Amino acid sequence: MSEALLELVEVERRFSVSAGLFRGRRALHAVNGVSLALRRGEVLGLVGESGCGKSTLGRMLLGLMPASAGEIRLEGRPLAAFSTRELARRVQPIFQDPYSSLNPRKTVGAIVGLPLAVHGIEADARARRKRVQETMERVGLPPRFFHSYPNQLSGGQRQRVAIARALVMRPEILICDEPTSALDVSVQSQILNLLEDMRREFDLTYLLISHNLAVVEHIATRVAVMYLGRIVEEADTVQLFRAPRHPYTRALLASVLTPEPGLGVPDTHLGVSYPNPLDPPPGCTFHPRCGEAMPVCRERAPAALADVRGRVECHLYDNAVK
Ligand code: SF4
């Protein structure tokens, strides 16, 4: 097993939100006691329904949002100990929507070169331009696009610009948050193949956040399943897709993926809708939707079981409960 490059240890992220008129404010646990390691060289898929906390977790790993409790470490050092520049050199994002994540008033050359300018890397304008052009070429953007604007490009080309903007920093880790969900199906596989090629060429490590299980199966080497702020199952991709253990993972895999990628929610056919994170169910938070729930599930949260097959949080695997 390779070493942990990025690691979350009992990480929590709470938000204080209004519970409604005259009802004051309540704490929303977007991420609730997550321990997870991103190992060097792997593609870790993070899946779950919209609102489960996966994008919040991604933002914390990018240093864009502090943890309310617990610790995030990069190569064993707390993330908070890194300067913004140091962190940007090592961890870069690719966001979902190439239509809104690129400044429409800047040319492609300026967009790709912006992180270098912001962080004072390649101060010499000619050297910076050369690095931008080389990176554009690597991701399949013709040199003529250097002076183009985002609205002159297709969705796939725009996402290539976003990938170039991340790679120009020569990072070690990419946090890819739904990198293909805003694209046409025909373009999605091109972008996934590009990400895979770039990973091999630059020896990168990816966290791939996606609601699309087909995307995750295509590219991820390991998968973590998130539900209401917790990781409920973690396993190698082949293991997880062949023999899922957590009832929620099984429901996700049995789900029919939405024909509208932009909706971002697989239809889990669970009958009961996703719980209000402000008022999570007691015990196992999945119990109102779980066809295998036992009396204990309503009273006690399951402990995590870690073994050769991965890690799962469910009373079905707890010998003391069965
Ligand atoms: Fe279902 Fe109980 Fe397992 Fe939760 S702990 S997933 S309710 S069987």
Side-chain angles (χ1 to χ4, degrees), residues 186-292:
S186 58
V187 182
Q188 288 186 7
S189 60
Q190 292 171 19
I191 295 298
L192 286 177
N193 290 340
L194 174 66
L195 284 171
E196 184 52 18
D197 291 347
M198 295 297 103
R199 190 182 71 78
R200 287 210 198 94
E201 187 175 339
F202 295 105
D203 210 10
L204 294 164
T205 300
Y206 290 169
L207 177 73
L208 175 71
I209 299 170
S210 181
H211 72 279
N212 189 328
L213 296 173
V215 166
V216 170
E217 189 178 20
H218 182 80
I219 191 172
T221 48
R222 208 156 59 86
V223 182
V225 180
M226 198 164 186
Y227 187 79
L228 264 184
R230 287 193 68 79
I231 304 296
V232 295
E233 182 164 4
E234 208 185 312
D236 286 349
T237 305
V238 174
Q239 172 76 43
L240 188 118
F241 278 81
R242 274 204 197 138
R245 291 198 284 181
H246 196 282
Y248 179 58
T249 311
R250 291 203 286 267
L252 278 183
L253 292 181
S255 69
V256 177
L257 294 179
T258 169
E260 292 274 356
L263 291 178
V265 187
D267 180 358
T268 55
H269 296 287
L270 285 165
V272 182
S273 60
Y274 198 77
N276 179 356
L278 271 178
D279 195 14
C284 170
T285 54
F286 185 60
H287 85 254
R289 306 172 85 191
C290 181
E292 297 171 69

Side-chain angles (χ1 to χ4, degrees), residues 19-249:
L21 203 58
F22 309 124
R23 294 174 67 191
R25 299 188 74 77
R26 302 257 293 275
L28 186 151
H29 284 78
V31 174
N32 194 5
V34 167
S35 295
L36 189 67
L38 181 62
R39 301 170 193 155
R40 191 180 291 278
E42 77 172 347
V43 179
L44 175 62
L46 182 61
V47 301
E49 289 163 278
S50 291
C52 71
K54 53 191 193 307
S55 290
T56 302
L57 197 145
R59 292 178 72 80
M60 285 197 289
L61 291 175
L62 285 160
L64 300 174
M65 191 186 277
S68 308
E71 193 167 74
I72 304 174
R73 300 176 191 144
L74 176 55
E75 273 189 327
R77 228 175 112 202
L79 211 60
F82 287 81
S83 68
T84 311
R85 183 176 193 258
E86 249 181 311
L87 199 55
R89 285 197 82 136
R90 302 189 64 175
V91 189
Q92 277 289 310
I94 296 174
F95 293 116
Q96 173 177 2
D97 188 356
Y99 297 89
S100 63
S101 68
L102 305 180
N103 186 338
R105 290 190 200 86
K106 299 266 185 209
T107 61
V108 168
I111 290 169
V112 175
L114 189 64
L116 300 177
V118 167
H119 297 291
I121 299 162
E122 300 286 18
D124 176 63
R126 205 178 304 168
R128 194 188 306 160
R129 184 183 173 118
K130 185 164 176 276
R131 184 153 154 181
V132 168
Q133 286 171 328
E134 281 172 1
T135 311
M136 285 176 59
E137 193 186 327
R138 283 263 175 56
V139 303
L141 288 168
R144 69 176 190 280
F145 284 178
F146 190 89
H147 297 290
S148 301
Y149 289 88
N151 66 2
Q152 296 172 303
L153 310 183
S154 69
Q157 288 164 341
R158 287 183 212 201
Q159 199 57 313
R160 284 175 195 269
V161 174
I163 293 170
R165 182 178 54 182
L167 292 180
V168 80
M169 294 293 282
R170 296 181 187 150
E172 292 162 64
I173 302 168
L174 288 188
I175 308 292
C176 309
D177 192 352
E178 304 277 7
T180 59
S181 61
L183 303 174
D184 289 345
V185 175
S186 58
V187 182
Q188 288 186 7
S189 60
Q190 292 171 19
I191 295 298
L192 286 177
N193 290 340
L194 174 66
L195 284 171
E196 184 52 18
D197 291 347
M198 295 297 103
R199 190 182 71 78
R200 287 210 198 94
E201 187 175 339
F202 295 105
D203 210 10
L204 294 164
T205 300
Y206 290 169
L207 177 73
L208 175 71
I209 299 170
S210 181
H211 72 279
N212 189 328
L213 296 173
V215 166
V216 170
E217 189 178 20
H218 182 80
I219 191 172
T221 48
R222 208 156 59 86
V223 182
V225 180
M226 198 164 186
Y227 187 79
L228 264 184
R230 287 193 68 79
I231 304 296
V232 295
E233 182 164 4
E234 208 185 312
D236 286 349
T237 305
V238 174
Q239 172 76 43
L240 188 118
F241 278 81
R242 274 204 197 138
R245 291 198 284 181
H246 196 282
Y248 179 58
T249 311

Side-chain angles (χ1 to χ4, degrees), residues 246-248 284-288 290-294 296-298 300 302 313-317:
H246 196 282
Y248 179 58
C284 170
T285 54
F286 185 60
H287 85 254
C290 181
E292 297 171 69
M294 304 169 276
V296 67
C297 303
R298 295 172 186 83
R300 194 159 21 112
E313 280 188 7
C314 174
H315 286 311
L316 289 174
Y317 305 93

